[in-house]
Amino acid sequence: MSIADSSIASELSPVAPGGQVEGESAPGLSAWALALRRLRRNKAALIFGALFVVLVALALAAPLWAQVADTTPARNHISDTIVVNGKSEQVVTLEGVPIGPTWQRKFFLGADSNGRDVAVRLLYGARNSLFIGLTATIITTLLAVVLGLLAGYFRGWTDAFISRGLDIAWAFPPTLLGVALGVSFALGGLKVGPLRISGDSLWIPTLVIGAIGVVYLARPVRGQVLSLREKEFVEAARAQGAGSLRIMFGELLPNVASTVLVFFPLLVANAILNEAALSFLGAGVQAPSPSWGTMLADGVLLLSTAPHLTIVPGLMLALTVLALNVFGDGVRDALDPRAKVRLER
Amino acid sequence: MGRFVIRRLIGMVVVMFAVSVLTFLIFNVIPNGAPEDRMAGRNSTPVQIAAIREEWGFDKPLYTQYLTTMKKVLDGDLISYANQTNVIEEIKRGLPRTLALAIGAALIWFSLGVALGLYTAIRAGRWTDTLVTVLALIGVSMPVFWLGALATYYLGFKAGIFPNGGYSEIGEAGLWEWVKHMILPWCVLATLFIGVYSRVLRSNVLDTINDDYVRTARAKGLTERRVMIHHVLRNSLIPIVTLWGLDFGAVLSGGAILTESVFDLQGVGQYFADSIDQLDVPPVLAVTLFGAFFIVLLNTLVDIVYAALDPRIRLS
Amino acid sequence: MSRTFRGLACLSLACLAPLGLAACGGDDKKSAATPSGGTSSSSTGSTGGRITSATTSFPDFLDPALSYTQEGWQALWTVYTPLLTYNHAAGAAGATIVPGLAEAMPDISADGRTYKLKLRSGLKYSDGKAVKASDFEHTIKRVLNLESGGASFYSGIVGAEKYIKDGKAKADIPGIVPDDATGDITINLVDPDGRFPYILAMDFAAIVPSDTPFENQTKNPPPGVGPYKFENVQINRGYDLVKVPSFNVPGQQVGKLDTIEVEIVKNRRRQTQDTIQNKLDYMNDPPAPDQLRDVRAQYTDKRYKEFVTNSTYYFFLNHRVAPFDKPEVRQAVNYAIDKRSLARLFGGLLEPDCNFLPPGMKGYQKIEPCPWGDPTAAPNVARAKELVKQAGVAGQSVTVYGNDEPEAKSLAQYLSDVLNDIGFKAKPRIVEASVSFATLGNQKTKAQAGFANWFQDFPHPANFFFLVDGKTIQPTNNQNFGNVDDPKLNAVLDKANQNADIDAVADDYAQADKLTVGGAHVAAYGHRKLTVFYSERMDFENCTVWHPVYNLDFTNLCLKKQ
């Protein structure tokens, strides 16, 4: 878990004052437009960015495909037969071996051991995995930024309190914590005051993954706020009579946000991988809801007779994460070209 | 320097204490259901449940319970309720396996990561750079358990090159068997990190290459090689070593749970996974504490090493 | 016992029939088993050698007084012998009770309350100590004192209840009168119990020395009288079964192999792969699902074979809670479930069947034609939907209970899907396995339907029918999850349970079976198959004996003659 997070921490370097992005200013072009131009020149990032958009679109189109295939992700057709290439085949043989990809409307990518349509489940699973990945990252980002701002700006006791808290949270082995919390909440649901979340809701893994990621982002944000608050523009704002809240959310936040946003795609990629890991161990999405992780968990059990059950979700997962990584790299290079070599020596 | 070390060590103890309290709370308070049901795990009988309630004092206030539990842990007296085994003994048994996995993989990913990072930095902009970067990205994007499952099936069972998983004790079957069993897990675990490290090193190197003092060194007439190794590499390595310490700690403390499970290595991570499956709380508690200990230990060590290398940190 | 494939123990109090059931009478005939006694060993096959075997979970206990799982019994049977035991044979011969450490079958009094046995003379434990008659009383005391899962089987002995209540380990049980000088053992029961010979043959009553402590001895099992003994027991890692050369009891089979090393390998896939590659000699569990097809195709009858066990898998339907209080609705469920699908969920290791009773049991008569449709053909979902509509319960919500063992989970899911298809709003509720029996056995839960299974404790039909006997319903620790209370069925069972002669009442039990299935009191779908899979070294032809109670007989395992 969160390995890339630590690399993010080391790469989160303070951005120039004024919330602006570095780069040579050509006459008439704002820094953001410049960044966009750099991004456009990065072919790889564009291609993979488009790939990601395509994947999201596919995921959103899941109900459409379900209609085409005339089934739902949970319906099992375990004793059905279908006609493939003129021959009548069993969806699941008497020995529990499911059919492989048929490349037809029904069971386009084959069936799983419960006789469910893999393609339909894959797309619905994509929805779930992407939802969890994105939402968890949003939660992480919001919490981390707020905590970092509070700690970095107010310093003193607030900082001590928050920092000690972060230290302790950091000490918890993230994977173990995620698994333990995931399993506990999956079995019993989450009951906090009036809030009741059932054990098989998607919000459980979302909250767990979101919460665990906070500590890895909060510290670097705090570090950045600490250095930023000494800059002239903050002093200027104070001189103008701005209150703490205004300074935090008006001046510091945009700076911090632009840096954090640079890492957003990478954070999402990480969250998606984390969700797959948790679901694989049974601590994430609960059956029968599909997710790439649960599909992989089911798939490896049938690796020799039905390899498509392992290969298909794994490939899709890897592609999505790769797309996010490459695109995220491109975004970072565009917004912070110091990280990339200047070819013009 | 001494004061710095002492401060850090005290901090370590404080954090460990806080972690133990929190772990205790999480596993005993937050999940629903009576803690004694949870403790008793799967094969519980009403008699067992009553006995546990009495022994651990679940009817007593929380802090008493906490003290009883911690005493059991420190005495090495913690018994798993799922199968009456001594949890600390089980951890001791799994520890060498997790260590073997972590250390082997860590050495591989460090050396390969640095080598690749350096290579791509030197060849920055050329197609080899792009190729290696792409490969590294792919390595980072693949779920480790997927890779492991495919590797152990196709290279292990189908091709027969490697064993079908499991761990071979050096004492029992010799060094070569041990290595054969460990190669795939090492490689699979390392793949994940090589990608990250090569890219981080690459970007660090590229940053430092253009720094002023490097230009000065070159201007002074030092050979490119000397410049690279003595100046650039040394400075680029510091954040990498920091990173390495943190990641090694993470892997050792249970981050390898997936690799261990897929290859059936029966290390500490897998012990945790099996225990959580059975809702067997004592091992879960103990492994979490053990994991936290390693993270904190390595964090502290890294801090100390960093401070030794960079005097500014000591004074903060 | 109920069994899951992690080899979990049946919960001690929760899985036993309450005392009320033990009122099975006897008459002045001898005990139920035909006294065919005699040797049961197959003398074919080589002797000697050492093999490695694997299983996914360590037995719940390696203490005969406590173990209540298939893995436990399978090992314990080779190490400890009770006064009565079974033939080491397959099929009906294996289900026959024969004298073990006793000289002959028991003398049962006319009123069925007194059993007289005589211990063979000259018996020695594997460590050389002599066996005394009073060891038997100590053995039973351990079962009662340690609150074993099997305790309730022996609570029908005079004084046993008081012994349990008083809780003093060393107190006497008046109902057991051993005479060390002569070797006579007299057992007095409160009420006659036709099952008692089988109860005496259970491993709970396997004789251990009188100095065995009143504590779980799994770490260091006591010596026993048997073809093998335990060595190298490491909890969760494995144990060894080593042949006892001095074992020589008339009529008892001696071991063939010298050593059987049992290792715990949690990963079934690895077990299967190792066995295929001959790195492992025997795997206790069925092959991993993705290897099953290939193993079947390549090795059936060469190194691999499947056996139907005496077990029943069914969905319980609660007669006391809507909507299953209406018979039409229960019928609908029986019409709608597709036994072929269920067989697939087991990877083919389920024998679909109409009957509730397993085929290996006395009293089994295949119900043909099946009132709910041919188990190997498509179900009649249309009729099921009709019945649901007729009963006016369409749209009601149903919670299907399952526990979180992998099979139970997918089966609960399956039933939910089926119920949704026929007009309900069903959802599975998965409960932790440790509390699932307590949950389902508590009337307050009002569980409408769910997954259930049962593996025989001994080859007597009463051991299955107590699950649907109105007399066994209780407010807590109930095993009759469906609260089945059919007066006709109860009457048939009452009559049959009184009679100690199984053959005489076989037809009555067949009748009970028809009533259970025909009355749609449960939705039974089949019987579990277990497997035997060897490496090439093993002698498949001559040494594979599948025992109806103990599954693969370890004592009969041997290597191919070189």
Side-chain angles (χ1 to χ4, degrees), chain C residues 189-225:
Chain C
L189 301 178
V190 174
D191 289 312
D193 184 351
R195 307 167 309 159
F196 200 68
Y198 289 99
I199 292 175
L200 281 179
M202 292 178 98
D203 293 275
F204 296 114
I207 313 236
V208 293
S210 290
D211 58 1
T212 311
F214 284 91
E215 252 177 26
N216 172 11
Q217 296 296 294
T218 301
K219 275 197 246 205
N220 189 7
V225 185

Coordinates of all heavy atoms in Angstrom, one line a residue, chain C residues 189-225:
Chain C
L189 N -27.9 -47.3 32.0 CA -28.5 -46.1 31.4 C -29.7 -45.7 32.2 O -30.4 -46.6 32.7 CB -28.8 -46.3 29.9 CG -27.7 -46.8 29.0 CD1 -28.2 -47.0 27.6 CD2 -26.6 -45.7 29.0
V190 N -30.0 -44.4 32.2 CA -31.3 -44.0 32.8 C -32.4 -44.5 32.0 O -33.4 -45.0 32.5 CB -31.3 -42.4 32.8 CG1 -32.7 -41.9 33.3 CG2 -30.2 -41.9 33.7
D191 N -32.3 -44.3 30.6 CA -33.4 -44.8 29.8 C -32.8 -45.7 28.7 O -31.6 -45.4 28.3 CB -34.1 -43.7 29.1 CG -35.0 -42.9 30.0 OD1 -35.8 -43.5 30.8 OD2 -34.9 -41.6 30.1
P192 N -33.5 -46.6 28.1 CA -32.9 -47.4 27.1 C -32.6 -46.5 25.8 O -33.4 -45.6 25.6 CB -34.0 -48.5 26.7 CG -35.3 -48.0 27.4 CD -34.9 -47.0 28.4
D193 N -31.6 -46.8 25.2 CA -31.2 -46.0 24.0 C -30.6 -46.9 22.9 O -29.5 -47.5 23.0 CB -30.1 -45.0 24.5 CG -29.7 -44.1 23.3 OD1 -30.1 -44.3 22.2 OD2 -28.9 -43.1 23.6
G194 N -31.4 -47.0 21.8 CA -31.0 -47.9 20.7 C -29.7 -47.5 20.1 O -29.1 -48.3 19.4
R195 N -29.3 -46.3 20.3 CA -28.1 -45.9 19.6 C -26.8 -46.2 20.5 O -25.7 -45.9 20.0 CB -28.1 -44.3 19.4 CG -29.3 -43.8 18.7 CD -29.3 -42.3 18.8 NE -29.2 -41.9 20.2 CZ -28.8 -40.7 20.6 NH1 -28.5 -39.7 19.7 NH2 -28.7 -40.3 21.9
F196 N -27.0 -46.7 21.7 CA -25.9 -46.7 22.6 C -24.7 -47.5 22.1 O -23.6 -47.1 22.3 CB -26.3 -47.2 24.0 CG -25.4 -46.8 25.0 CD1 -25.2 -45.5 25.4 CD2 -24.6 -47.7 25.7 CE1 -24.2 -45.1 26.3 CE2 -23.6 -47.4 26.6 CZ -23.5 -46.0 27.0
P197 N -24.9 -48.6 21.4 CA -23.7 -49.3 20.9 C -22.9 -48.4 20.0 O -21.7 -48.4 20.0 CB -24.3 -50.5 20.1 CG -25.7 -50.7 20.7 CD -26.2 -49.4 21.1
Y198 N -23.6 -47.6 19.2 CA -22.9 -46.7 18.3 C -22.1 -45.7 19.1 O -21.0 -45.3 18.8 CB -23.8 -46.0 17.3 CG -24.4 -46.9 16.3 CD1 -25.6 -47.5 16.4 CD2 -23.6 -47.2 15.2 CE1 -26.1 -48.3 15.4 CE2 -24.1 -48.1 14.2 CZ -25.3 -48.6 14.3 OH -25.8 -49.5 13.4
I199 N -22.8 -45.2 20.2 CA -22.2 -44.2 21.1 C -21.0 -44.8 21.7 O -20.0 -44.1 21.9 CB -23.2 -43.7 22.1 CG1 -24.3 -42.9 21.3 CG2 -22.6 -42.9 23.2 CD1 -25.4 -42.5 22.2
L200 N -21.0 -46.1 22.0 CA -19.8 -46.7 22.6 C -18.7 -46.8 21.6 O -17.5 -46.9 22.0 CB -20.1 -48.1 23.2 CG -20.8 -48.1 24.5 CD1 -21.1 -49.6 24.9 CD2 -20.0 -47.5 25.6
A201 N -19.0 -46.8 20.3 CA -18.0 -47.0 19.3 C -17.5 -45.6 18.8 O -16.5 -45.6 18.0 CB -18.6 -47.7 18.1
M202 N -18.0 -44.5 19.3 CA -17.5 -43.2 19.0 C -16.1 -43.0 19.6 O -15.8 -43.5 20.7 CB -18.4 -42.1 19.4 CG -19.7 -42.1 18.7 SD -20.8 -40.8 19.3 CE -20.5 -39.6 18.1
D203 N -15.3 -42.1 18.9 CA -14.0 -41.9 19.5 C -14.0 -41.2 20.8 O -12.9 -41.3 21.5 CB -13.2 -41.1 18.4 CG -12.9 -41.8 17.2 OD1 -11.9 -42.6 17.1 OD2 -13.8 -41.7 16.2
F204 N -15.1 -40.6 21.2 CA -15.1 -40.0 22.5 C -14.8 -41.1 23.6 O -14.2 -40.8 24.6 CB -16.5 -39.4 22.8 CG -16.8 -38.3 21.9 CD1 -17.9 -38.4 21.0 CD2 -16.1 -37.1 21.9 CE1 -18.2 -37.3 20.1 CE2 -16.4 -36.0 21.0 CZ -17.5 -36.2 20.2
A205 N -15.3 -42.3 23.3 CA -15.2 -43.3 24.3 C -13.9 -44.2 24.1 O -13.8 -45.3 24.7 CB -16.4 -44.2 24.3
A206 N -13.0 -43.7 23.2 CA -11.8 -44.5 23.0 C -10.9 -44.4 24.3 O -10.7 -43.4 24.8 CB -11.0 -43.9 21.8
I207 N -10.5 -45.6 24.7 CA -9.9 -45.7 26.0 C -8.5 -45.1 26.1 O -7.6 -45.3 25.3 CB -9.8 -47.2 26.3 CG1 -11.1 -47.9 26.0 CG2 -9.4 -47.4 27.8 CD1 -11.8 -48.6 27.1
V208 N -8.3 -44.3 27.1 CA -7.0 -43.7 27.5 C -6.7 -44.0 28.9 O -7.5 -44.3 29.7 CB -7.1 -42.1 27.3 CG1 -7.2 -41.8 25.8 CG2 -8.1 -41.5 28.1
P209 N -5.4 -43.9 29.2 CA -5.0 -44.3 30.6 C -5.6 -43.4 31.7 O -6.0 -42.3 31.4 CB -3.5 -44.1 30.6 CG -3.1 -44.1 29.2 CD -4.2 -43.6 28.4
S210 N -5.7 -44.0 32.9 CA -6.4 -43.3 34.0 C -5.6 -42.1 34.5 O -6.1 -41.3 35.2 CB -6.6 -44.2 35.1 OG -7.6 -45.1 34.8
D211 N -4.3 -42.0 34.0 CA -3.6 -40.8 34.5 C -3.6 -39.7 33.5 O -2.9 -38.7 33.7 CB -2.1 -41.2 34.8 CG -1.4 -41.8 33.6 OD1 -2.1 -41.9 32.5 OD2 -0.3 -42.2 33.7
T212 N -4.4 -39.8 32.5 CA -4.5 -38.7 31.5 C -5.2 -37.5 32.2 O -6.3 -37.6 32.7 CB -5.4 -39.1 30.3 OG1 -4.9 -40.4 29.9 CG2 -5.2 -38.1 29.2
P213 N -4.5 -36.3 32.2 CA -5.1 -35.2 32.9 C -6.4 -34.7 32.3 O -6.8 -35.0 31.2 CB -4.0 -34.1 32.6 CG -2.8 -34.8 32.1 CD -3.3 -36.1 31.5
F214 N -7.1 -34.0 33.2 CA -8.4 -33.4 32.8 C -8.2 -32.1 32.1 O -8.6 -31.1 32.5 CB -9.3 -33.2 34.0 CG -9.9 -34.5 34.5 CD1 -9.3 -35.2 35.5 CD2 -11.1 -35.0 33.9 CE1 -9.8 -36.4 35.9 CE2 -11.7 -36.2 34.4 CZ -11.0 -36.9 35.4
E215 N -7.5 -32.2 30.9 CA -7.1 -31.0 30.2 C -7.0 -31.4 28.7 O -6.6 -32.6 28.4 CB -5.7 -30.5 30.6 CG -5.7 -29.3 31.5 CD -4.3 -29.0 31.9 OE1 -3.4 -29.4 31.2 OE2 -4.2 -28.4 32.9
N216 N -7.1 -30.5 27.9 CA -7.0 -30.8 26.4 C -5.5 -31.2 26.2 O -4.6 -30.5 26.4 CB -7.3 -29.5 25.7 CG -6.9 -29.6 24.2 OD1 -6.7 -30.7 23.7 ND2 -6.9 -28.5 23.5
Q217 N -5.4 -32.5 25.7 CA -4.1 -33.0 25.5 C -3.5 -32.9 24.1 O -2.6 -33.7 23.7 CB -4.1 -34.5 25.9 CG -4.4 -34.7 27.4 CD -3.3 -34.2 28.2 OE1 -2.2 -34.6 28.2 NE2 -3.6 -33.1 29.0
T218 N -4.1 -32.1 23.3 CA -3.7 -32.0 21.9 C -2.2 -31.8 21.7 O -1.6 -32.4 20.9 CB -4.4 -30.9 21.2 OG1 -5.8 -31.1 21.3 CG2 -4.0 -30.8 19.7
K219 N -1.6 -31.0 22.6 CA -0.1 -30.8 22.4 C 0.7 -32.1 22.6 O 1.8 -32.2 22.1 CB 0.4 -29.7 23.4 CG 0.1 -28.3 22.9 CD 1.0 -27.3 23.6 CE 0.1 -26.5 24.4 NZ 0.1 -25.3 24.8
N220 N 0.1 -32.9 23.4 CA 0.9 -34.1 23.8 C -0.1 -35.3 24.0 O -0.4 -35.6 25.2 CB 1.7 -33.8 25.1 CG 2.6 -34.9 25.4 OD1 2.8 -35.8 24.6 ND2 3.2 -34.8 26.5
P221 N -0.6 -35.8 22.9 CA -1.7 -36.8 23.1 C -1.3 -38.0 23.9 O -0.2 -38.5 23.9 CB -2.0 -37.2 21.7 CG -1.4 -36.2 20.8 CD -0.2 -35.6 21.5
P222 N -2.2 -38.5 24.7 CA -1.9 -39.7 25.6 C -1.7 -40.9 24.7 O -2.1 -41.0 23.5 CB -3.2 -39.8 26.4 CG -4.3 -39.2 25.6 CD -3.6 -38.1 24.8
P223 N -1.1 -42.0 25.3 CA -1.0 -43.2 24.5 C -2.3 -43.9 24.4 O -3.2 -43.7 25.2 CB 0.0 -44.1 25.4 CG -0.2 -43.5 26.7 CD -0.5 -42.1 26.6
G224 N -2.5 -44.7 23.3 CA -3.7 -45.4 23.2 C -3.4 -46.8 22.7 O -2.2 -47.2 22.6
V225 N -4.5 -47.6 22.5 CA -4.3 -48.9 22.0 C -4.7 -48.9 20.5 O -5.9 -48.8 20.2 CB -5.2 -49.9 22.7 CG1 -4.8 -51.3 22.2 CG2 -4.9 -49.8 24.2

